[in-house]
Amino acid sequence: MKPDVMADGIYRVAAKIGNRDLFEGIWPIPHGVMLNAYIVKGSEKTAMIDLVKDWDGASEAVDRQLDELDSNNGNLDFLILNHMEPDHTGAMVAFVEKHPNVEILCSDKAVALIRHFYKIEKNVRPVKDGETIDLGGKTLKFFMTPNIHWPETMMTYAVEDRILFSCDAFGSFGQYEHCFDDELTLRERTLLEGETERYYANIVSSFSSFVLRGIAKLADLPISQVAPSHGVVWRGEPEKIIAWYKSLATYMDGPREKEITVIWSSMYGNTAALVPFVVEGAESEGLKVHVLEIPQTHASFVLEKAWRSEGLVIGMPTYEYKMFPPMYHILDLLERSHVQKRKTMRFGSFGWSGGAQKQFDVFSETMKLDCVGVVEYQGSATEEDKKRAYAMAKEMARQIRNA
Ligand SMILES: Cc1cc2nc3c(=O)[nH]c(=O)nc-3n(C[C@H](O)[C@H](O)[C@H](O)COP(=O)(O)O)c2cc1C
Ligand SMILES: [Fe+2]
Ligand SMILES: [Fe+2]
């Protein structure tokens, strides 16, 4: 890749990561992911904002771009670390060996993380909220935005060019040929649509209250470009990604989309038999219904749909006196991500004494779910069970539609 020119003296140096690995060791990236770092050159000094990790050739790719920008021969003065997660700092030890005099600027909380992760203490200087540095005609200002999504996270703002380097915030999964939102192909735009939402639900959703706080803090800042560490640079419509993140964060407590996500699993078909009735009942009120079978569908995609949906239907049988294990995993992830306060119903089969419902009730309580009802039955579903499931899903959809 070539460095992308964002403004006079400001460049993106990025790498494309393929689809072989899981992101954070858990989330699939079937369309890859971008790792974006940035260079800001003033008349006197040069800063690099964020690094990459040695992943799928990213270090080498960025290194070559630094060569092209003549920023690789002791010409860098500052390394700004907005966030310490290894996808943005993994290459740090090699980087510091190559640039021994670079001053590392970061938040207070990042100092200890740098020491623990990389055993680096020299030339590390914490910056304060609102502090600026002058590169010569280019001023960089730092904003502390904790917990989006680690405690040490901050953002860097190029004052004269009005560019916000937001690191993980405002990011997306997916690999894009083009750097800027205003030059994407239709295919890339469609990809960005889904991959922003899935990224948010997987990586950021848990921290939604901090996202809203961060967005409020930046509200008066004039922004011409939003430059995150994953995805594209928002130059055409920087306000769009900020508004989009705001609405994604709002899904935590609502309102959210008047849609229903049906998550179901079944060993022998007894629970599965009710799925079409539930779906038809929900759809009969005109609502969009997402149907996801687990464990066949990865949790990443389940979380994406559940995050946006006002309604949640859980279908599962009892397994060894408890919930079906893949559903436990899903509910645990949903709970951690603060999928909460949804309209819900549950259905499922058991063989002799059940147990799934008891365990589900605990989740229902901690996730503050508003449970419309339960259709649980022994063995195979009767015609009556099917009718009840249809009616319950319809009622749930009606309540969501009219809310
Ligand atoms: C490995 C295994 C463990 C089970 N454990 C229980 C149990 O603890 N209590 C119970 O009532 N039924 C239990 N069952 C019975 C299932 O809940 C029952 O067969 C149910 O109909 C399965 O629904 P499905 O066809 O949707 O998979 C178990 C079944 C299997 C295969
Ligand atoms: Fe991160
Ligand atoms: Fe990241």
Side-chain angles (χ1 to χ4, degrees):
M1 287 181 72
K2 296 253 174 229
D4 300 286
V5 182
M6 297 166 60
D8 186 30
I10 303 190
Y11 309 88
R12 181 182 80 153
V13 286
K16 289 185 190 138
I17 307 298
N19 60 10
R20 279 188 312 239
D21 299 317
L22 296 170
F23 193 82
E24 290 183 347
I26 171 167
W27 313 114
I29 38 171
H31 308 285
V33 66
M34 303 297 305
L35 289 186
N36 302 328
Y38 298 93
I39 291 287
V40 181
K41 286 186 176 189
S43 58
E44 284 153 32
K45 296 193 165 168
T46 299
M48 179 155 184
I49 302 176
D50 297 323
L51 289 173
V52 294
K53 96 173 183 148
D54 192 9
W55 181 16
D56 211 4
S59 287
E60 294 79 7
V62 165
D63 223 37
R64 280 195 297 275
Q65 292 170 65
L66 293 184
D67 283 338
E68 282 193 42
L69 295 172
D70 196 25
S71 298
N72 225 357
N73 305 311
N75 296 346
L76 283 177
D77 301 282
F78 297 105
L79 170 64
I80 296 164
L81 296 176
N82 284 321
H83 173 31
M84 283 306 299
E85 194 167 356
D87 52 337
H88 311 294
T89 55
M92 195 170 170
V93 170
F95 182 89
V96 167
E97 272 171 21
K98 201 163 179 181
H99 305 268
N101 298 320
V102 82
E103 188 171 21
I104 300 166
L105 306 181
C106 59
S107 70
D108 263 336
K109 284 220 167 80
V111 175
L113 294 176
I114 295 175
R115 191 170 69 240
H116 292 304
F117 280 108
Y118 302 109
K119 316 302 178 206
I120 291 172
E121 292 185 69
K122 202 175 139 230
N123 294 336
V124 177
R125 178 161 73 86
V127 293
K128 295 265 167 288
D129 189 43
E131 191 174 330
T132 57
I133 57 167
D134 182 9
L135 305 176
K138 299 261 184 226
T139 312
L140 295 179
K141 187 169 183 176
F142 307 106
F143 290 96
M144 298 304 136
T145 50
N147 296 308
I148 317 177
H149 61 145
W150 277 22
E152 83 298 357
T153 44
M154 65 174 203
M155 298 188 195
T156 300
Y157 178 65
V159 176
E160 292 79 6
D161 299 281
R162 303 175 168 191
I163 299 175
L164 181 69
F165 300 96
S166 57
C167 204
D168 279 347
F170 309 123
S172 316
F173 286 141
Q175 215 186 68
Y176 306 88
E177 278 307 311
H178 299 96
C179 171
F180 298 101
D181 62 332
D182 54 33
E183 51 181 16
L184 299 181
T185 61
L186 183 60
R187 194 198 66 79
E188 286 177 317
R189 276 211 301 277
T190 310
L191 180 66
L192 186 64
E193 191 78 22
E195 289 292 71
T196 300
E197 197 152 330
R198 192 167 67 90
Y199 172 96
Y200 187 92
N202 291 182
I203 312 289
V204 192
S205 57
S206 239
F207 304 91
S208 290
S209 55
F210 295 98
V211 172
L212 293 175
R213 229 173 280 175
I215 289 174
K217 181 170 182 168
L218 303 170
D220 296 330
L221 207 61
I223 293 174
S224 70
Q225 296 183 42
V226 175
S229 56
H230 304 288
V232 302
V233 174
W234 297 79
R235 174 181 71 182
E237 297 179 285
E239 65 290 344
K240 179 176 166 179
I241 187 64
I242 297 173
W244 194 357
Y245 259 61
K246 195 172 174 180
S247 65
L248 287 168
T250 305
Y251 287 160
M252 185 168 81
D253 289 320
R256 17 188 120 77
E257 303 308 316
K258 290 180 186 285
E259 297 175 6
I260 293 180
T261 292
V262 179
I263 310 168
W264 69 277
S265 52
S266 181
M267 297 176 280
Y268 295 112
N270 291 309
T271 303
L274 245 57
V275 173
F277 296 90
V278 165
V279 173
E280 266 176 51
E283 282 179 345
S284 71
E285 293 292 320
L287 263 58
K288 186 167 181 182
V289 181
H290 309 281
V291 186
L292 304 158
E293 183 184 7
I294 60 157
Q296 288 81 342
T297 310
H298 193 283
S300 168
F301 302 90
V302 177
L303 194 47
E304 177 198 343
K305 296 302 181 209
W307 183 251
R308 62 182 282 118
S309 299
E310 196 62 60
L312 205 56
V313 178
I314 303 294
M316 80 180 123
T318 291
Y319 188 98
E320 292 171 356
Y321 302 95
K322 293 186 171 175
M323 299 189 343
F324 191 51
M327 191 62 85
Y328 184 92
H329 169 62
I330 291 289
L331 286 170
D332 179 47
L333 279 175
L334 295 184
E335 187 196 332
R336 287 163 189 249
S337 302
H338 293 163
V339 173
Q340 57 189 27
K341 302 175 189 164
R342 317 288 160 125
K343 281 253 184 275
T344 311
M345 65 169 274
R346 190 228 140 195
F347 63 96
S349 170
F350 65 95
W352 48 96
S353 57
Q357 185 58 35
K358 196 168 166 214
Q359 208 182 14
F360 178 70
D361 285 340
V362 178
F363 276 107
S364 189
E365 172 122 11
T366 49
M367 292 163 74
K368 303 186 187 85
L369 302 177
D370 174 11
C371 203
V372 178
V374 178
V375 184
E376 203 182 33
Y377 44 96
Q378 202 159 4
S380 58
T382 61
E383 288 311 307
E384 185 53 32
D385 294 325
K386 291 173 185 171
K387 276 191 198 138
R388 278 185 59 220
Y390 177 94
M392 201 175 281
K394 186 179 176 68
E395 171 58 19
M396 179 178 157
R398 196 191 60 78
Q399 288 184 22
I400 290 171
R401 203 197 56 205
N402 295 339

